[in-house]
Amino acid sequence: MDYSFEEFLEDLKMGREIHFIYREEIYYIGCGTGHFMFWKFDDSASEIIGEDVEDLLRKVNFDGKLIKEVWDLIKIVDVF
């Protein structure tokens, strides 16, 4: 799927949920129960909650890098 970081941000701000793969692991990010959340599938301890999209994206990192910095290594699976 050809999906830009800007589209990703817009979808998150609209409250959509996104599943993606980074380094062979599947992740969720989105607005679930009124909160912006992120987690790695099958790892409940990985859950991160943000007050809004910007707050969540500041908290989520991969090997010390923000999602925007590793965007080229991310494969989008689904957008709901």
Side-chain angles (χ1 to χ4, degrees):
M1 171 187 285
D2 189 27
Y3 187 70
S4 71
F5 184 75
E6 289 73 24
E7 290 171 303
F8 170 76
L9 286 178
E10 192 62 34
D11 283 343
L12 286 177
K13 289 176 183 177
M14 290 188 326
R16 298 186 78 180
E17 300 176 10
I18 301 164
H19 297 177
F20 65 91
I21 297 172
Y22 175 75
R23 295 200 173 174
E24 301 181 24
E25 298 284 347
I26 302 173
Y27 296 88
Y28 163 93
I29 191 167
C31 188
T33 57
H35 296 92
F36 287 92
M37 299 178 287
F38 165 89
W39 67 77
K40 181 167 85 171
F41 276 77
D42 300 323
D43 182 1
S44 60
S46 67
E47 182 177 64
I48 299 171
I49 297 175
E51 293 179 25
D52 54 31
V53 172
E54 291 79 16
D55 182 52
L56 180 61
L57 293 178
R58 277 192 298 274
K59 293 177 179 179
V60 174
N61 71 76
F62 298 94
D63 304 317
K65 295 183 179 181
L66 301 174
I67 290 177
K68 184 175 185 175
E69 296 173 300
V70 297
W71 185 253
D72 291 339
L73 303 174
I74 289 175
K75 178 184 176 196
I76 301 299
V77 176
D78 286 308
V79 179
F80 300 98

